[in-house]
Amino acid sequence: MTRIGYCATMPDEVRKLAAERGNLNVYRALAHAGPPFAGWMLAGRAALTSKVVPARLRELVILRTGHLMRCPYEIAQHTPMAEGAGIGSRQLRALAADGRLADGGFTPTELTVLEMTTELVTTASLTPALLDRVRESLGDERLLEVLMIINRWSGLALMINALDVDIDTDTHFSMPTDDPH
């Protein structure tokens, strides 16, 4: 099977959105989607610039999702972001699919959210008791945004893995600026 190559030309709107976060292989692969790619990139910006879920919690969820989805690309791109959000090597090890979350020294809220991430990604559902614990810790707005983060990065991992996107060796993801809208 031949994998999809990287898109050499992108519409200006898409090029601008991709350039904001780096000329990454994942964007060059997904740019073949054409117009829907621009909307997908805007949704990604919104997820990454939202003030509802703190950056540290967002990166914990993204990395745990990346590990559970066995997506080295996501892990490689988001590990520096996680470190920048104060996540240390002990916690990074605990986030691995075979890591023990209880050994990570996470706050009770972080641990509950990571347990939810694990259960959702590995079983495709949540027990009502765990959902209630997360809702109690986060409230409805943060809970829903965390679920959207899990959805986005697990779906992205599926595409990256299916397309066998190469890990960028010379370009790293950079955070977009705050959403201008």
Side-chain angles (χ1 to χ4, degrees), residues 48-78:
L48 291 167
T49 60
S50 173
K51 304 296 185 217
V52 173
V53 174
R56 176 182 167 88
L57 187 58
R58 181 193 64 237
E59 293 303 322
L60 287 170
V61 169
I62 291 171
L63 280 178
R64 182 64 174 169
T65 301
H67 279 290
L68 293 170
M69 296 296 297
R70 295 181 298 280
C71 186
Y73 188 97
E74 277 185 4
I75 297 164
Q77 286 298 332
H78 280 273

Side-chain angles (χ1 to χ4, degrees), residues 19-35:
E20 158 184 295
R21 289 180 241 166
N23 185 27
L24 304 179
N25 291 335
V26 65
Y27 300 143
R28 294 182 314 133
L30 297 180
H32 288 287

Side-chain angles (χ1 to χ4, degrees), residues 86-98:
I87 299 166
S89 59
R90 175 180 165 204
Q91 293 170 328
L92 291 172
R93 284 190 305 275
L95 292 171
D98 61 351

Side-chain angles (χ1 to χ4, degrees), residues 85-153:
I87 299 166
S89 59
R90 175 180 165 204
Q91 293 170 328
L92 291 172
R93 284 190 305 275
L95 292 171
D98 61 351
R100 289 182 27 87
L101 293 175
D103 294 341
F106 299 109
T107 69
T109 295
E110 291 170 345
L111 189 56
T112 300
V113 170
L114 291 169
E115 289 169 2
M116 178 187 73
T117 303
T118 302
E119 186 170 306
L120 187 57
V121 172
T122 61
T123 71
S125 68
L126 291 175
T127 60
L130 182 54
L131 180 59
D132 288 344
R133 283 184 22 233
V134 176
R135 180 181 281 140
E136 185 177 309
S137 292
L138 297 181
D140 288 342
E141 184 179 17
R142 278 193 181 145
L143 165 64
L144 289 170
E145 191 162 311
V146 167
L147 289 171
M148 289 178 185
I149 291 166
I150 295 166
N151 172 58
R152 179 172 185 80
W153 272 270

